[in-house]
Amino acid sequence: MIKFGDLKEIAMLGSGTFGRVALVKDTASGETFALKRMRKLAVMSTPEHIFCEQSITREVRHFACMRQHASFQDAHYLYFLFDYVEGCDLMDALAAVATVRSIRQPSKGVFGPKIKMLRGMRESQARYYVAAVTLALEYLHSCHIVYRDLKPENVLLSLDGAAKLGDFGFSKKLEKGSHTYTFCGTPGYVAPEVVLARGYGTSVDWWGLGVLTYVLLTGQQPFSQTVNGQPEDPLTVMKRIVDRSWTVSFPVY
């Protein structure tokens, strides 16, 4: 059993609205972990998400899912001890390879003019990450868990390229055959069922996987556009998601 007093902080990995994540070492075993610390006052507005994250990450046992090894608390903070993934997230990996290229439109023939277009990962590379996420989602769904926040930032990559699905803050365990109605997730990735609030199940994760695939291949989101260097209003993006007349634009490549 891991004891809180045996954990020694090595470095800070990141911080956000609710708290911080630090790299720690268990002095008893020599293993390294990521320790997520959250202020109790900061999470009081969304306690359900915290309890779901704790219970779900404690339960999951899959190589492509982040696992919780222990949890602690003191007077001011909650602590979750997770796997440490020594690498980057999938968005960082995408940013490292995405480039603007000159591509000739097939409809214009071999002598047609070339146009500059943003291109993401190679298809073989994207296929590998999509396959890893697919295995993670299949496992979660077999446990009646809906993930609800699939995006490149939530897929963590180790130095050898292995991928793990992390950040289970929006995940929820459903009764078999039941639905949930909560609106949550990232605007550009949410499924129409989430926006319309008519009840949804694990199918929303497959929609998110489709959006993730598009993003990895093109370097941009299918329902969101950049205006004057700034992202669009989330409400505009979500209106497109539920608009049957909106056509997703696929690059010529």
Side-chain angles (χ1 to χ4, degrees):
M1 179 180 293
I2 301 174
K3 298 179 180 179
F4 186 67
D6 290 337
L7 300 178
K8 180 182 178 181
E9 184 171 326
I10 300 174
M12 190 174 79
L13 300 175
S15 60
T17 305
F18 294 111
R20 65 197 289 267
V21 179
L23 173 63
V24 298
K25 182 177 182 178
D26 180 10
T27 56
S29 66
E31 293 182 277
T32 54
F33 300 95
L35 183 65
K36 182 177 181 178
R37 188 188 77 179
M38 297 166 286
R39 296 187 301 274
K40 288 184 176 180
L41 286 176
V43 301
M44 284 179 64
S45 59
T46 56
E48 180 187 356
H49 293 315
I50 304 303
F51 292 135
C52 284
E53 180 178 17
Q54 182 191 26
S55 63
I56 288 172
T57 53
R58 181 186 294 171
E59 175 186 327
V60 296
R61 294 289 187 277
H62 192 274
F63 69 89
C65 293
M66 187 68 69
R67 177 187 171 189
Q68 178 204 152
H69 296 270
S71 59
F72 315 95
Q73 65 171 313
D74 57 27
H76 303 289
Y77 297 98
L78 299 173
Y79 302 88
F80 292 164
L81 194 67
F82 291 116
D83 293 326
Y84 171 54
V85 181
E86 187 180 6
C88 62
D89 63 44
L90 192 50
M91 180 55 80
D92 291 333
L94 173 61
V97 298
T99 56
V100 176
R101 303 181 188 182
S102 295
I103 300 174
R104 183 175 284 109
Q105 290 181 284
S107 61
K108 301 295 183 180
V110 295
F111 299 109
K114 290 185 176 181
I115 56 175
K116 291 186 176 180
M117 305 188 77
L118 180 63
R119 189 162 189 172
M121 293 181 173
R122 299 190 309 274
E123 187 170 326
S124 59
Q125 187 178 12
R127 187 187 300 120
Y128 167 77
Y129 294 124
V130 170
V133 173
T134 298
L135 292 175
L137 293 179
E138 286 181 336
Y139 168 76
L140 292 174
H141 294 173
S142 72
C143 299
H144 310 298
I145 296 169
V146 55
Y147 183 70
R148 300 197 294 188
D149 196 23
L150 186 57
K151 56 184 177 181
E153 293 87 342
N154 285 346
V155 180
L156 306 178
L157 309 180
S158 61
L159 294 179
D160 64 1
K164 274 185 183 290
L165 194 58
D167 196 345
F168 285 75
F170 285 144
S171 300
K172 185 174 183 178
K173 188 158 189 176
L174 303 176
E175 296 292 332
K176 189 174 181 179
S178 66
H179 293 81
T180 185
Y181 297 83
T182 309
F183 176 85
C184 61
T186 302
Y189 293 83
V190 294
E193 304 97 294
V194 178
V195 180
L196 296 172
R198 295 175 182 171
Y200 59 88
T202 55
S203 62
V204 299
D205 289 336
W206 298 120
W207 174 280
L209 184 67
V211 177
L212 177 75
T213 305
Y214 184 99
V215 171
L216 293 182
L217 292 173
T218 67
Q220 53 195 340
Q221 293 184 20
F223 299 98
S224 179
Q225 300 173 340
T226 301
V227 180
N228 298 323
Q230 298 295 323
E232 287 187 296
D233 175 61
L235 187 59
T236 300
V237 176
M238 289 186 287
K239 283 181 177 177
R240 289 196 187 117
I241 290 173
V242 298
D243 183 0
R244 291 175 179 269
S245 65
W246 171 264
T247 302
V248 173
S249 173
F250 287 89
V252 295
Y253 56 80

